[in-house]
Structure formats: C-alpha cells, structure tokens
C-alpha cells in the first residue's frame, strides 16, 4: 500500500473515530437531558399534588381542574420520555382524577392563626407562579389565566381578613376596643383596595364597618371615664398638696 493510501486511511480512521466520539457524546447529552426533563416533570406533578391537597378546601372547581390538567400534562411528558414512574407521580395522577370528578362544595373556614395563614398564603403565591408559567407555555388561555389569578388573589385577601378578624375578636374579648378597631381597619383597607369587590365580600365589608362603629361607640364612654378619673386624681393630688402646706 502506498504512502498516500496510508495517509488517506489514517485520516479516514481519525475522522471516523472523532465522529463516533461525537455521536456518543451527543447520545449522552440527550440521555442527560431526558433525565433532567423527567425530574422536572416529576417534581411539577408532586408540587401540584401537594398544593392541591393543602388548598383544596378553598379552591373552586375550575382551579382544581387546571391543576389536574397540569398534572396530566406532565404525566404525558413523562410517558413520552419513557421515564419510570414513582409513588409520588402515581399519587399525583390519582389526585388529578379525583379533582376532575369532584363535585363543588362550599369553601371551608380559613385559618385565623398567623402561622397557618402564612402557610396558606405561601401556597397561594406559588400557585400564582404556576398559573403564569402555564400561560407563558401556552397551556392556558389568557382569559382563563386571568380568571384563575383573580381567584388566587381573592383567596390571599380572604386569608388576611381571616387573621385580622381573629385578632379583632380576641381584642374585643378582653375589652380592648382600640386594638379591635386597629385590626378591623386593616381588614377594611384590604377589601377596599380591591378594584372590583365581589358580591360575596360585600356583606363581609359591611359587617367589618358595623363592628368598627360599634367599637368606636364603646370607646367613647371609656375615654370619657378615663378623662374623668384622671381629673379626679389630679384634684385629689392638689388637695393633698394644699393640706400638707397648710396643716
């Protein structure tokens, strides 16, 4: 074999080796990308399942349907990736079927304790992020996304009002109308900041304003009594001082 043929063969062998190495690296990158995507879809399913469980007592049927459909979407992507399922994903798929077939029911009472309320609000804020992400990925129509985001916003406001109401009630129970008014006014402000107050919250605002007026009326006699007592104490002190000087 001539020198030229050997050189050509060596070049061809080297190119084949580089090509084979490049193909192997491409396959490895694809494998790693599939594994990464499988983790992403699995995590999304688990998170949606967890959020749905924690917020279900206060979510509407359309919101639960959105979460169920998102879980099913991620489940379908996992199937396309031929990724193995796990208990977390299986449970999420079961939750999705439950939520799609669930019958509407009245919302449960919201927590009035600060710690529990904060947990609910954090879950709602995360749900809002997932709604926006779904809209950006074109899984959710704009009008539907606006409707769901409005529901989440209202739920956040309701949680805040529940906490303020609980604190106001506690203050009133220990005969502290000033503190009760403080928290009721916070609740009133939260409601008045809504651009369009829903009909379901109008009686709530009316009740809060009535209670503010009631507590303000309670403060008047108390304030007058306090001023009277302060004046009496001052007169008694002056009288004692005068007696000490003259007797």
């Amino acid at each position: 074999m001539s020198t030229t043929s050997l050189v050509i063969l060596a070049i061809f062998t080297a190119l084949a080796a580089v090509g084979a190495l490049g193909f192997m690296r491409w396959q490895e990158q694809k494998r790693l990308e599939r594994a990464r995507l499988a983790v992403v879809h699995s995590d999304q399913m688990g998170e949606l399942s967890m959020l749905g469980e924690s917020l279900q007592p206060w979510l509407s049927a359309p919101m639960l349907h959105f979460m169920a459909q998102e879980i099913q979407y991620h489940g379908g992507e996992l199937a396309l990736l031929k990724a193995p399922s796990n208990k977390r994903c299986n449970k999420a798929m079961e939750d999705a079927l439950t939520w799609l077939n669930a019958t509407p029911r009245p919302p449960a009472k919201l927590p009035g304790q600060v710690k529990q309320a904060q947990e609910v609000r954090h879950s709602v804020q995360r749900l809002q992020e997932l709604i926006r992400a779904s809209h950006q990925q074109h899984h959710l129509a704009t009008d539907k996304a606006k409707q769901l985001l409005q529901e989440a916003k209202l739920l956040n406001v309701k949680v805040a009002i529940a906490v303020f109401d609980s604190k106001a009630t506690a203050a009133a129970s220990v005969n502290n109308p000033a503190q009760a008014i403080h928290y009721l006014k916070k609740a009133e402000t939260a409601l008045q900041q809504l651009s369009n107050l829903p009909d379901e919250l109008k009686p709530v605002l009316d009740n809060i304003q009535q209670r503010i007026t009631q507590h303000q009326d309670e403060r008047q006699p108390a304030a007058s009594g306090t001023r009277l007592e302060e004046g009496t104490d001052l007169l008694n002190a002056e009288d004692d001082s005068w007696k000490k000087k003259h007797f």
Side-chain angles (χ1 to χ4, degrees):
M1 186 177 292
S2 66
T3 303
T4 302
S5 298
L6 289 173
V7 170
I8 293 173
L9 180 60
I11 293 173
F12 177 79
T13 303
L15 290 174
V18 170
L21 180 61
F23 179 73
M24 290 173 62
R25 292 180 66 178
W26 176 79
Q27 280 189 318
E28 179 64 13
Q29 288 176 350
K30 293 289 287 183
R31 185 188 69 79
L32 292 174
E33 178 64 10
R34 286 196 300 270
R36 185 189 71 81
L37 289 174
V39 171
V40 169
H41 291 300
S42 176
D43 285 348
Q44 289 284 285
M45 292 176 72
E47 184 176 21
L48 284 161
S49 174
M50 181 187 66
L51 288 174
E53 282 190 335
S54 62
L55 297 176
Q56 184 178 3
W58 309 289
L59 297 182
S60 68
M63 183 70 84
L64 288 172
H65 287 176
F66 156 73
M67 299 179 76
Q69 289 163 357
E70 282 292 289
I71 288 174
Q72 290 180 336
Y73 162 76
H74 291 293
E77 292 297 305
L78 278 180
L80 290 175
L81 291 168
K82 297 181 180 179
S85 187
N86 54 44
K87 290 182 179 180
R88 191 183 182 196
C89 294
N90 292 338
K91 182 181 180 306
M93 292 297 284
E94 291 174 2
D95 288 339
L97 288 175
T98 300
W99 299 338
L100 286 172
N101 297 318
T103 55
R105 59 183 181 180
K109 182 179 179 180
L110 286 162
Q113 300 301 314
V114 173
K115 183 178 180 181
Q116 295 174 327
Q118 285 177 339
E119 291 174 355
V120 172
R121 295 194 73 181
H122 289 159
S123 296
V124 173
Q125 288 166 0
R126 179 55 184 153
L127 179 57
Q128 289 173 311
E129 293 173 1
L130 293 175
I131 293 170
R132 293 189 184 98
S134 180
H135 176 253
Q136 291 171 354
Q137 295 165 5
H138 307 292
H139 300 166
L140 196 60
T142 301
D143 57 342
K144 189 68 174 178
K146 287 181 178 179
Q147 176 187 337
L148 296 180
L149 286 172
Q150 179 65 11
E151 176 182 338
K153 179 182 177 180
L154 285 177
L155 180 54
N156 250 337
V157 172
K158 291 175 184 177
V159 172
I161 291 170
V163 173
F164 295 145
D165 182 84
S166 176
K167 288 180 176 290
T169 301
S173 68
V174 294
N175 197 27
N176 190 343
Q179 192 76 351
I181 291 171
H182 170 74
Y183 287 114
L184 288 171
K185 282 190 172 292
K186 281 182 172 289
E188 180 185 38
T189 300
L191 288 169
Q192 290 176 337
Q193 286 178 343
L194 294 173
S195 55
N196 293 310
L197 187 66
D199 290 339
E200 62 173 311
L201 291 180
K202 289 178 181 178
V204 177
L205 179 58
D206 290 341
N207 175 263
I208 288 170
Q209 291 173 335
Q210 289 171 7
R211 289 163 66 190
I212 290 173
T213 301
Q214 177 186 343
H215 289 309
Q216 285 173 338
D217 292 341
E218 292 171 358
R219 289 185 65 188
Q220 296 302 323
S224 299
T226 301
R227 288 194 294 271
L228 180 59
E229 291 171 3
E230 290 174 350
T232 303
D233 291 341
L234 181 60
L235 287 173
N236 290 336
E238 291 175 351
D239 184 59
D240 289 342
S241 177
W242 184 85
K243 287 179 179 177
K244 288 178 181 179
K245 288 180 181 180
H246 294 83
F247 294 94

